[in-house]
Amino acid sequence: RHNTAHYSGRYISPPTSYLKSNKLILHMPLIYIIILNWNSFEDTQQLLLQLRQLTYQNFKIVLVDNDSNDNSGKRLNNEFRNIEYIQTGSNLGYAGGNNIGIKHAIHKNAEYIWILNNDILITDFSTLETLLEEYKKLETVAFFGLKLLDSNDQKIQFIRATVGNSG
């Protein structure tokens, strides 16, 4: 079994709008948020609580539990009933666990997928709107990242990467 992440090659078009009864209706794309958990109840719980504060509303959360042996996945699933919970049955590693979530999201017709590490802190609850706006500015893209700051000293760990979709 290979534990490498890959892009399916499916190009997703930017958000659209249309007229309905002479009113402009903005299409709010369905975004699936993938979170991988392995024996990290507190970190994952904190992230799930933060996601409740997002200003963008059309999203689903997929919690992929990578066969935690501390019962954290089951505890999180019981506490957060509005998430889609997947138990992998074995530890598939980071890429393997996320690929399970990605396949699920694609099967559920996600228009966009946002993969989050479970130990991040969200400081801007309008992040999804910002991501969609940035996406609209790009002609072709398979994925891109955000600025990551170390929570202790605020040093930049990562700025941004964009990878074009050539086909």
Side-chain angles (χ1 to χ4, degrees), residues 125-138:
F125 297 112
S126 65
T127 297
L128 284 178
E129 289 93 343
T130 303
L131 284 170
L132 288 172
E133 288 301 314
E134 288 299 313
Y135 179 83
K136 285 193 259 183
K137 295 176 187 175
L138 302 171

Side-chain angles (χ1 to χ4, degrees), residues 36-152:
L36 185 63
N37 178 67
W38 186 74
N39 295 336
S40 298
F41 178 82
E42 290 81 15
D43 285 342
T44 307
Q45 179 190 43
Q46 183 174 358
L47 176 58
L48 290 169
L49 289 170
Q50 289 177 354
L51 291 174
R52 288 181 174 172
Q53 298 178 62
L54 291 175
T55 56
Y56 190 83
Q57 295 299 306
N58 196 19
F59 68 89
K60 306 263 186 204
I61 298 170
V62 178
L63 176 64
V64 179
D65 186 70
N66 224 355
D67 201 32
S68 295
N69 56 23
D70 67 350
N71 217 22
S72 58
K74 290 178 185 174
R75 289 172 55 203
L76 291 161
N77 187 39
N78 287 334
E79 183 174 337
F80 298 93
R81 301 305 297 170
N82 60 336
I83 64 173
E84 297 178 25
Y85 176 73
I86 299 172
Q87 171 54 252
T88 62
S90 64
N91 190 335
L92 303 177
Y94 181 79
N98 278 314
N99 278 340
I100 295 292
I102 292 167
K103 288 176 186 175
H104 175 81
I106 290 171
H107 176 75
K108 295 286 192 162
N109 297 314
E111 294 177 71
Y112 298 92
I113 298 172
W114 192 24
I115 300 171
L116 295 178
N117 288 355
N118 64 337
D119 63 349
I120 68 159
L121 299 175
I122 298 173
T123 59
D124 179 356
F125 297 112
S126 65
T127 297
L128 284 178
E129 289 93 343
T130 303
L131 284 170
L132 288 172
E133 288 301 314
E134 288 299 313
Y135 179 83
K136 285 193 259 183
K137 295 176 187 175
L138 302 171
E139 291 187 24
T140 62
V141 65
F143 69 90
F144 61 101
L146 303 171
K147 180 168 68 171
L148 298 179
L149 300 175
D150 185 289
S151 62
N152 296 319

